[in-house]
Amino acid sequence: MTSTAAGAVTIAAAVELAVLERSGFIESRHVGAAVVVAADGAIIAELGDAGAPVFPRSSLKPFQALAIREAGVHLSPLQTALSMASHGGTSAHVEVVREILSLASLGESDLGCPADWPGDRAARDAVVRADAGVQRVFMNCSGKHAAMLLACVQQGWSTADYLDPGHPLQLRVREVIERETGETIVASGVDGCGAPVHAISLRGLARGVSRIAQRTTPDSEWLVDSVLANGWAVDAPGEQNTMVIDELQIFAKLGAEGVMVMSTLSGVAVALKILDGSLRAAALVALELLVRAGAMDRGDVDTLVARFDLTVLGGGRPVGTIRVTA
């Protein structure tokens, strides 16, 4: 496949990864690219152009969290998991974010992420019933931002401009991304939370997550073990990302706009990008690719996937499903 530096995977270089079928009719098709790598970084399987650069979005959080840890921030396991979370904004999530801010002697107004509603429906309903509004601490990236602020305080770096690409913390994040992925960042932008986001290929993303998941350093070991022990903190109760971590003990992190990374502790890892930006089939496709690579047991994965919200309803009755076609 031919790669391009102009943007994400093109339609011409993509393949169909999954479909939504309704009443025996293919209603929607999810196309994109994916790659599976071995522990040594060798490519096991590649679908579409996995060499094209993508913005990993929140799938970069493992690298950001590792950079924060390497900067000397030694959080508890639960706080560490929140530092790489796209959390649901539940009261339990928010409590931990506030703990991290307290360690830095800072408040919610110091967070550089935008104010938002909780992503978790029950949590959002509770905020509405309380006649409250959007808050920065509810934003799903607030744990990462709180940990970034703590790193700045501990290192004596300025906090007001901690999201500036030239800030010492953000330069460290770049170094960690390039070190772990083995690639040079080809483009940078501003993520939805306001932090810098950096474009790398799916191959590099998979290799980087594989390296972290293999826990070859004390810092990566702490990060991975913290996440595996607190999967609920990384997303929200009942979400697919949480279920994969908690029940399969896979190091996993979704990213906005259809990005997903997963790695077994042995280092077999998958990274994928769905071009329409939807995440509804991302975990399903990633798990299927790990099974095909011999890295996961078919029975264990099928048991978990059966609990994913993949059923297509018609008049309140099941009439179809979302399934992998790659």
Side-chain angles (χ1 to χ4, degrees):
M1 292 290 183
T2 301
S3 299
T4 173
V9 184
T10 65
I11 291 292
V15 299
E16 183 181 274
L17 299 175
V19 298
L20 183 149
E21 184 175 334
R22 178 184 297 276
S23 304
F25 182 85
I26 303 301
E27 184 173 20
S28 299
R29 302 180 189 274
H30 294 301
V31 302
V35 64
V36 185
V37 301
D40 63 358
I43 295 176
I44 296 174
E46 184 168 320
L47 305 172
D49 185 6
V54 301
F55 277 147
R57 301 297 298 275
S58 285
S59 292
L60 277 183
K61 285 179 178 174
F63 305 95
Q64 294 166 326
L66 183 59
I68 291 168
R69 175 80 182 180
E70 291 180 355
V73 176
H74 291 175
L75 298 169
S76 71
L78 178 53
Q79 293 165 344
T80 299
L82 255 293
S83 76
M84 63 159 271
S86 296
H87 65 75
T90 68
S91 58
H93 290 122
V94 170
E95 179 182 354
V96 180
V97 175
R98 287 174 172 154
E99 287 176 0
I100 299 172
L101 286 171
S102 178
L103 292 173
S105 297
L106 296 174
E108 295 174 32
S109 63
D110 294 296
L111 292 169
C113 57
D116 203 354
W117 294 99
D120 180 77
R121 183 173 180 176
R124 178 171 180 153
D125 288 349
V127 171
V128 172
R129 285 195 298 269
D131 198 24
V134 297
Q135 297 181 34
R136 293 184 183 184
V137 75
F138 293 152
M139 202 269 170
N140 67 356
C141 298
S142 63
K144 176 183 77 175
H145 283 256
M148 284 182 169
L149 286 167
L150 179 57
C152 293
V153 169
Q154 291 188 350
Q155 290 289 339
W157 298 328
S158 60
T159 57
D161 60 344
Y162 76 98
L163 297 180
D164 188 289
H167 189 280
L169 174 64
Q170 301 304 336
L171 294 177
R172 285 200 175 204
V173 170
R174 286 184 64 99
E175 291 172 2
V176 169
I177 292 170
E178 293 188 335
R179 183 190 74 207
E180 298 299 319
T181 64
E183 292 188 355
T184 299
I185 291 168
V186 298
S188 298
V190 181
D191 210 336
C193 68
V197 62
H198 306 292
I200 54 176
S201 75
L202 290 173
R203 295 172 191 159
L205 184 59
R207 287 169 175 151
V209 171
S210 169
R211 284 171 57 90
I212 293 174
Q214 291 179 67
R215 303 178 294 180
T216 56
T217 69
D219 290 325
S220 62
E221 181 178 17
W222 181 266
L223 174 61
V224 173
D225 288 350
S226 295
V227 167
L228 296 183
N230 299 280
W232 70 270
V234 178
D235 198 322
E239 294 296 330
Q240 293 178 11
N241 205 155
T242 296
M243 296 165 69
V244 167
I245 294 171
D246 283 342
E247 301 185 32
L248 297 179
Q249 289 291 280
I250 294 177
F251 188 68
K253 187 69 193 73
L254 60 77
E257 296 301 318
V259 181
M260 174 64 75
V261 294
M262 293 185 187
S263 181
T264 65
L265 301 188
S266 66
V268 180
V270 59
L272 64 86
K273 162 76 175 179
I274 297 177
L275 296 194
D276 62 14
S278 173
L279 281 163
R280 66 184 179 187
L284 175 67
V285 174
L287 288 172
E288 175 64 24
L289 293 177
L290 288 176
V291 169
R292 293 181 188 177
M296 292 299 301
D297 178 77
R298 166 67 69 185
D300 291 342
V301 169
D302 286 350
T303 297
L304 179 62
V305 167
R307 294 169 47 213
F308 285 179
D309 185 17
L310 301 175
T311 302
V312 176
L313 300 178
R317 301 189 308 273
V319 296
T321 190
I322 299 170
R323 57 182 174 83
V324 177
T325 56

